[in-house]
């Protein structure tokens, strides 16, 4: 009732109705003073009682705080003493038998860490730092060896060790912080503040090992201090300057609360354990407040009864107030802007019809509501609006604060509003609350969002293009816009744009001026101002990255009203590379065609030479027959051997030419039953021509008991000759001419392979040349792939095709590989250089 009387006086002072001051009499004034005096006495009594109770609770909290922190400090010291005894025992496990000492060390440390969660790591470190044992066994994942921690950990350990060696006893080191590197927040908290304890063991044994223990201060406090004490106080570690280093809890404290500190004597630096009391509810306070509310309610009833007698004398005042209120209400109800009034506690005291229409709730439903309000529907709205409103209410400048927020109508419609918050000041220059003016900005915001979405779609399309987009100001070369691909390829400068258009110096046009009366673009072709066409230019930037680009440029109107130069750049390096590869393949095909022609010519030449060689052989045989009939034995002994050798060489030349003809002649595969020894011998004889030319030797090892095979001897001979020539070329390239007589010969070894389960014929060509690069082995049998500068890349591909057509297999390994040990078992073959080609053919005969 007192509040209503004060409010009534405030309204009378604001509105000043006619003759309002003459209505009050002396008697009415006395009636007004009586409840005021009684209320003041009652409030004084109430505050006295509350102060007494609060003082008692404060003293009790301080006593409890002192007792709890003393108990916690004692527990910490006792825990350190117990741990030091166990570390002392642990230091004595090291004996001359290092192996047994290591096992016992890990057993004891494992038991220690399972019982003491405050210990992060235990180390045993020799004095010469050569041997270190640590537990837990983290291996390469030891977090203390991470770059972020290692230097800090080692530095503090060395300082603690020096202090321990000086004192001759175990020593606790300084507290130091470690930056978190784990995804587990609990682990990061335990590792955030740590310290070393070092026990020098040289006093107790002759093995020269120190015991170093890494403690976690958060884990130590969490373990030692009981949970019931933690629930009553906030414990912190503070430094000598009184600043907290770490706190076990972040719960809010009263502005005035009990605090007590006690120094931790184990540590070399002046750090203390601080406890601060949390606010605790008291049942006595609640009971007292309950009875006070009952008394206050009785007093309010009495106040209403006393004021009722004064109502008739105030009717004129109320009439004037009603008129004034109706006038102001008419203005507020006709106002399209939503109004909302809050008191100092944030409660809604008034809303106008425009606001009710906006949110869909009536004024009666909103009066007296505290935040969060019913027109805040989601958790996000509550969080954002509460924060913005609280910040606006905290403004002390008295100025209007504008904020944007989202509210929800009763029908569930989201409404974007711009909210202007200003303080309400009464006639005595005191703030009585806040008034909020709300304007619906949903439609403008929707338009902005649509524009933003349209812009985002535009940017998404540009960023998704496989072409680099750039726009520059042609007057000064300023870069106006780029997409992501341009920035990725060329960076954020216009240098690449200018290079692509052929103007690296930044000069676009000499006629461009700042004079608006001059048309800068009068000389630009009209086609350059039209939409982009298929015209393009291919450009290479040797100074940038040697890539090829397709460039298209146009002039487009820019946002400032002027023209800008648009450049669309596409990387065509892969296309250029493909064209180059195609050109190389065409050259190889032409070379293959010439090679085929040469083969046909070789066949013709062999055919032509067979006849004169046959004639030479016949003439020699005729001369030999006549010489044998000659009676002079001395003549026969001198002439006959030479003639026989000449005839044999002519026959051998004819045989070689016939083999060359058969080798180069293109014919359908003809499989026959043949001896592999004959095929190998003929192949070696063909390849020996090149081998002897380069002073190299071919050595063949072929068993005499091999069965006959069903195969095409010409094709197999072609494969063996090709592999032998490859080996000759490799050995020729790797060995100088004057050293070739010392190298290991090129070996051709034929045997049976039983490693795969099925017996197969195995032919190995083993050279001691350069070998094959490991990266080239997977591609060496591909068409047109060659390791030779002038090679076609078709020989090995044809060889593999021939072997696979015989249901066989062809592969290659370097002699330095481990796999070669399963293939080359002979000790005289090369093991560190060269390579081995292996041909596997099935033994089964197929008619």
């Amino acid at each position: 009732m007192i509040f209503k009387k004060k409010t009534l006086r405030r309204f009378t002072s604001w509105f000043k109705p006619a003759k309002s001051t003459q209505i009050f009499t002396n008697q009415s004034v006395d009636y007004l003073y009586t409840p005021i005096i009684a209320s003041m006495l009652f409030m004084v009594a109430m505050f006295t009682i509350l102060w007494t109770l609060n003082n008692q609770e404060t003293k009790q909290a301080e006593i409890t705080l002192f007792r709890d922190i003393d108990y916690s400090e004692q527990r910490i010291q006792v825990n350190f003493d117990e741990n030091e005894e166990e570390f002392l025992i642990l230091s004595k496990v090291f004996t001359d038998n290092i192996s047994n000492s290591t096992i016992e060390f890990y057993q004891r440390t494992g038991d220690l860490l399972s019982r003491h969660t405050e210990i992060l790591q235990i180390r045993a470190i020799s004095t010469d730092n050569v041997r270190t044992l640590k537990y837990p066994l983290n291996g390469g994942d030891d977090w203390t060896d991470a770059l972020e921690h290692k230097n800090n950990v080692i530095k503090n350990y060395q300082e603690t060790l020096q202090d321990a060696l000086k004192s001759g006893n175990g020593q606790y080191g300084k507290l130091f912080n470690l930056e978190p590197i784990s995804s587990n927040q609990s682990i990061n908290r335990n590792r955030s503040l740590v310290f070393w304890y070092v026990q020098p063991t040289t006093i107790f044994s002759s093995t020269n090992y120190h015991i170093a223990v890494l403690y976690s201060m958060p884990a130590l406090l969490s373990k030692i201090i009981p949970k019931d004490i933690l629930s009553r106080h906030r414990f912190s570690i503070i430094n000598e300057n009184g600043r907290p280093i770490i706190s076990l809890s972040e719960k809010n404290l009263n502005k005035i609360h009990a605090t007590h500190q006690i120094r931790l004597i184990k540590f070399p630096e002046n750090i203390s354990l601080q406890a601060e009391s949390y606010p605790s509810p008291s049942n006595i306070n609640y009971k007292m407040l309950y009875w006070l509310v009952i008394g206050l309610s009785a007093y309010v009833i009495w106040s209403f009864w006393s004021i009722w007698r004064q109502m008739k004398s105030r009717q004129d005042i109320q009439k004037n107030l009603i008129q004034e209120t109706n006038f102001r209400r008419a203005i507020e109800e006709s106002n399209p802007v939503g109004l909302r009034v809050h008191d100092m506690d944030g409660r809604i005291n008034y809303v106008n019809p425009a606001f009710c229409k906006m949110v869909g709730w009536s004024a009666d439903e909103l009066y007296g509501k505290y935040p969060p309000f019913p027109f805040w529907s989601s958790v996000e709205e509550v969080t954002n609006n509460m924060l913005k409103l609280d910040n606006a209410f905290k403004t002390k400048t008295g100025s209007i604060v504008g904020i944007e927020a989202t509210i929800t109508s009763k029908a569930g419609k989201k409404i974007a509003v711009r909210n202007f918050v200003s303080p309400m000041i009464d006639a005595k220059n005191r703030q009585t609350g806040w008034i909020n003016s709300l304007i619906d900005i949903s439609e403008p915001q929707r338009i902005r969002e649509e524009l933003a979405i349209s812009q985002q779609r535009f940017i998404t399309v540009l960023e998704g293009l496989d072409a680099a987009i750039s726009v520059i100001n042609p007057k000064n070369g300023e870069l106006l816009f780029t997409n992501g691909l341009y920035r990725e390829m060329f960076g954020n400068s216009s240098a690449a744009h200018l290079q692509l258009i052929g103007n690296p110096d930044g000069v676009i046009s000499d006629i461009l001026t700042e004079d608006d009366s001059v048309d800068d673009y009068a000389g630009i072709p009209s086609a350059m101002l039209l939409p982009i066409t298929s015209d393009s230019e291919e450009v290479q930037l040797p100074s940038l990255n040697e890539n090829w680009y397709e460039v298209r440029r146009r002039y487009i109107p820019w946002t400032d009203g002027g023209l800008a130069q648009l450049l669309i750049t596409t990387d065509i390096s892969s296309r250029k590379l493909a064209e180059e590869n195609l050109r190389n393949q065409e050259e190889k095909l032409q070379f293959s065609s010439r090679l085929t022609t040469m083969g046909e010519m070789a066949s013709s030449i062999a055919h032509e030479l067979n006849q004169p060689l046959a004639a030479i052989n016949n003439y020699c045989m005729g001369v030999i027959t006549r010489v044998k009939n000659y009676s002079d034995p001395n003549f026969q002994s001198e002439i006959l051997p030479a003639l026989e050798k000449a005839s044999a060489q002519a026959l051998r030349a004819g045989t070689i030419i016939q083999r060359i003809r058969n080798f180069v002649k293109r014919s359908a595969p003809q499989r026959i039953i043949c001896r592999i020894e004959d095929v190998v011998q003929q192949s070696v004889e063909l390849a020996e021509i090149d081998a002897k030319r380069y002073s190299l030797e071919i050595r063949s090892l072929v068993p005499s008991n091999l069965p006959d095979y069903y195969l095409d001897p010409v094709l197999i001979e072609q494969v063996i000759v090709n592999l032998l020539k490859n080996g000759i070329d490799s050995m020729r390239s790797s060995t100088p001419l004057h050293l070739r007589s010392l190298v290991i010969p090129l070996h051709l070894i034929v045997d049976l392979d039983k490693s795969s389960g099925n017996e197969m014929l195995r032919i190995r060509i083993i050279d001691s040349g350069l070998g094959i690069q490991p990266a080239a082995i997977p591609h060496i049998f591909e068409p047109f792939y060659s390791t030779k500068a002038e090679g076609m890349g078709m020989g090995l591909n044809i060889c593999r095709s021939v072997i696979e057509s015989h249901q066989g297999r062809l592969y290659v390994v370097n002699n330095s590989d481990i796999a070669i040990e399963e293939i080359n078992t002979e000790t005289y073959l090369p093991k560190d250089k060269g390579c081995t080609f292996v041909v596997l053919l099935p033994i089964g005969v197929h008619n």
Side-chain angles (χ1 to χ4, degrees), residues 530-585:
L530 295 176
I532 298 173
T533 63
S534 59
D535 296 337
S536 63
E537 180 182 1
E538 294 182 356
V539 178
Q540 186 182 25
L541 300 181
S543 62
L544 189 61
N545 50 20
E546 299 290 341
N547 287 356
W548 280 91
Y549 300 97
E550 181 183 17
V551 179
R552 291 173 288 175
R553 62 176 177 174
R554 286 294 182 275
Y555 286 91
I556 59 174
W558 197 241
T559 55
D560 57 0
L563 288 182
Q565 188 183 66
L566 168 67
L567 199 68
I568 302 178
T569 306
T570 305
D571 191 342
I572 59 172
S573 301
S574 58
R575 191 181 75 188
K576 284 288 187 179
L577 180 60
E579 293 174 354
E580 182 68 22
N581 291 336
L582 179 60
R583 184 164 54 253
N584 294 335
Q585 297 300 335

Side-chain angles (χ1 to χ4, degrees), residues 641-800:
L643 291 175
E644 290 177 347
K645 290 181 181 180
S647 176
Q649 290 299 322
L651 182 61
R652 183 173 181 271
T655 304
I656 292 174
I657 291 174
Q658 183 63 31
R659 288 176 183 173
I660 293 174
R661 181 182 178 188
N662 293 335
F663 182 78
V664 300
K665 182 174 64 176
R666 179 72 173 129
S667 61
Q670 298 179 358
R671 297 192 182 185
I672 59 174
I673 298 176
C674 58
R675 297 177 68 249
I676 194 64
E677 297 92 327
D678 297 337
V679 175
V680 170
Q681 182 180 358
Q682 293 176 7
S683 302
V684 171
E685 289 178 357
L686 286 174
E688 276 183 341
I689 299 174
D690 285 345
K692 291 180 179 179
R693 181 188 308 170
Y694 299 118
S695 301
L696 295 174
E697 179 185 356
I698 300 177
R699 184 174 299 174
S700 59
L701 302 176
V702 184
S704 59
N705 58 349
L706 292 176
D708 295 338
Y709 293 93
Y710 184 72
L711 46 81
D712 188 329
V714 175
L715 293 179
I716 299 300
E717 180 180 336
Q718 180 182 358
V719 171
I720 297 175
V721 170
N722 196 354
L723 297 178
L724 287 172
K725 286 187 174 182
N726 285 343
I728 292 171
D729 291 341
S730 178
M731 295 173 64
R732 176 172 61 90
S733 300
S734 63
T735 307
L737 180 62
H738 64 282
L739 297 177
R740 290 176 186 172
S741 60
L742 304 178
V743 300
I744 300 175
L746 176 65
H747 280 77
L748 191 153
I749 304 175
V750 182
D751 58 3
L752 297 178
D753 179 35
K754 301 179 181 180
S755 60
S756 61
N758 297 325
E759 192 173 46
M760 301 185 73
L761 175 67
R762 181 171 63 181
I763 303 173
R764 290 174 288 168
I765 293 88
I766 308 171
D767 65 70
S768 58
L770 298 173
I772 302 174
Q773 294 294 331
I777 290 179
H779 308 285
I780 198 168
F781 294 103
E782 295 178 357
F784 303 109
Y785 182 88
S786 177
T787 58
K788 302 176 183 178
E790 300 178 356
M792 286 183 55
M794 292 298 296
L796 291 178
N797 178 260
I798 295 174
C799 291
R800 171 172 279 189

Side-chain angles (χ1 to χ4, degrees), residues 351-393:
V351 290
N352 71 338
F355 182 79
C356 295
K357 183 179 179 180
M358 184 185 298
V359 299
W361 273 277
S362 64
D364 295 335
E365 292 174 325
L366 296 177
Y367 283 161
K369 296 293 184 181
Y370 287 92
F373 301 120
F375 42 83
W376 297 344
S377 60
S378 63
V379 177
E380 182 180 2
E381 285 184 10
V382 171
T383 303
N384 294 336
N385 293 338
M386 284 282 287
L387 179 61
K388 293 178 180 178
L389 197 62
D390 184 61
N391 291 335
F393 285 172

